[in-house]
Amino acid sequence: MYQGFYTIASGILMQERSLNVLSNNLVNVNTPGYKASRVISTTFEEQLLRVENGRDTIIGKAVPITVVSEAPTRYDSDSLIQTERPMDMAINGEGFFRIQAAPVQVNQDAEATDPDNIETALTEEGAVYLTRNGNFDIDNEGFLVLRGVGRVLGRRGEIDLGGSSSFVVNENGEIYGENGQYIDTLDIVVPDEGEQLERVGNSLFQFAGEATGRPAENSTLVQNWLENSNIDTNREYTMMMEAQRAFQSCSTALQIVDKINQQAAAQIAAL
C-alpha cells in the first residue's frame, strides 16, 4: 500500500536536491573560480520480481526508490577574464591557491573588489583552504587576502605586501615589490594521487582526511586576470527546468496515489 508513496517521495527528494544544487550553481555564475556541482542518483535497493506459479520463478528486478548518491564537483577550468586589477590573479592550468582562514579587515584605501565575488563560508580560524578564486585584496596590515576568508599563503607563509598594490607576479608565481625586491612565491598545490577534495564554500575546498597535496607543476600564474566560473548558464537553466517539471510530476502523482488510497479505505470501511 505504501510502496507508491515511498517511490514518489524518493523522486521528490531527489529533484529537490537537484534544484538546490543547480540554483547554487546559477547564483555563483559570476564567482571567480567557482566549480559546478552535479547530483548523481543511485538505487536504494533492488527487489526481485517473482511470479506466483507454485515454483516461485524470478522474472526480473525492480528498483522502486532512488536516492542521492553524491554531488561531485566538476574541476574543469574555464576561460580567463582580464581585470587590470593588480590584486587579481588566475592559475592557468592545474592547482589551487592556499588560504589561511582568519578575520579579514580590508584596507579601504585599496581598490574595492566586486561585492558579488566575496566568498561566504563557515570557515574555521587557522584552517587552510584551497581555492581557484584569485579575487584578492590587501588587508589593513598589508597582507594579501581573500576577502571573507583569510590571508593568501606563499612558500614563506602569509604574504606581506607592505600595504602596497604596486607589485608584480610572474608566471612562476614569484612576487616582486615596486623596487624589484623579492617578496615570496605563491604556494600553488594540487591533490596527490588518491587524494580527494571536499567543498566547504562557494569556491573553497579542503583536502579530505590527512592529505596535504603537492606543489603544482603544470601551471602558470597570470596577474590582472581572473578565472571565470565553469557554469554554462543555458545548460543550468535547462537542467533546472527539467528538475522542476519532474518535481511537479512527482507532486501530482503523490496526490493521485493519496486519493486512490483514500477511496480504497472508504470502500473497505463500507463493506
Side-chain angles (χ1 to χ4, degrees):
M1 179 177 180
Y2 295 106
Q3 182 172 333
F5 279 115
Y6 294 147
T7 302
I8 298 168
S10 70
I12 290 176
L13 294 175
M14 178 74 190
Q15 299 309 322
E16 182 181 32
R17 179 69 182 278
S18 296
L19 286 169
N20 289 339
V21 169
L22 292 169
S23 297
N24 191 59
N25 287 344
L26 286 171
V27 167
N28 286 283
V29 66
N30 293 320
T31 299
Y34 178 81
K35 303 304 177 187
S37 294
R38 287 285 179 267
V39 169
I40 296 179
S41 65
T42 186
T43 57
F44 181 73
E45 182 182 3
E46 287 190 345
Q47 295 182 344
L48 295 178
L49 297 180
R50 302 172 183 271
V51 59
E52 298 296 336
N53 58 2
R55 292 178 296 178
D56 198 26
T57 305
I58 298 175
I59 60 174
K61 295 182 179 180
V63 185
I65 296 177
T66 58
V67 294
V68 176
S69 172
E70 56 181 333
T73 300
R74 290 174 43 225
Y75 292 104
D76 54 298
S77 300
D78 201 82
S79 60
L80 306 183
I81 181 172
Q82 190 169 14
T83 66
E84 298 298 342
R85 184 172 176 271
M87 281 81 76
D88 287 340
M89 304 175 202
I91 302 172
N92 189 10
E94 64 177 8
F96 296 84
F97 298 106
R98 297 176 70 237
I99 313 293
Q100 184 161 9
V104 177
Q105 294 183 347
V106 176
N107 185 351
Q108 298 303 319
D109 294 332
E111 184 181 352
T113 188
D114 185 346
D116 291 335
N117 292 338
I118 296 175
E119 180 63 64
T120 55
L122 296 175
T123 56
E124 178 183 353
E125 187 170 351
V128 175
Y129 297 94
L130 309 176
T131 186
R132 298 276 297 191
N133 184 353
N135 189 212
F136 300 141
D137 285 290
I138 299 174
D139 69 9
N140 290 339
E141 298 180 28
F143 290 86
L144 188 67
V145 298
L146 178 61
R147 183 179 291 204
V149 182
R151 291 175 175 173
V152 183
L153 293 178
R155 295 179 182 173
R156 295 178 173 180
E158 299 172 349
I159 300 175
D160 187 355
L161 298 174
S164 173
S165 60
S166 298
F167 63 91
V168 175
V169 181
N170 66 19
E171 64 178 14
N172 297 320
E174 298 170 348
I175 305 173
Y176 295 89
E178 57 184 335
N179 296 319
Q181 76 277 16
Y182 173 75
I183 297 175
D184 203 344
T185 300
L186 287 160
D187 190 14
I188 310 300
V189 298
V190 295
D192 210 343
E193 184 176 356
E195 294 180 343
Q196 301 293 325
L197 295 180
E198 298 175 345
R199 184 191 291 271
V200 293
N202 288 337
S203 61
L204 294 182
F205 304 89
Q206 276 186 315
F207 285 114
E210 301 297 324
T212 57
R214 60 176 174 80
E217 299 175 352
N218 302 315
S219 61
T220 56
L221 268 292
V222 285
Q223 189 179 14
N224 305 312
W225 292 72
L226 285 175
E227 179 182 343
N228 286 323
S229 67
N230 63 352
I231 302 296
D232 183 338
T233 306
N234 292 332
R235 177 169 172 75
E236 297 297 315
Y237 274 121
T238 300
M239 294 177 68
M240 179 171 282
M241 291 172 61
E242 292 174 352
Q244 182 65 39
R245 288 170 181 167
F247 183 89
Q248 293 172 348
S249 297
C250 288
S251 299
T252 302
L254 188 62
Q255 294 175 2
I256 293 172
V257 171
D258 184 49
K259 289 180 180 179
I260 292 174
N261 286 339
Q262 288 180 5
Q263 293 174 358
Q267 290 175 1
I268 290 173
L271 294 178

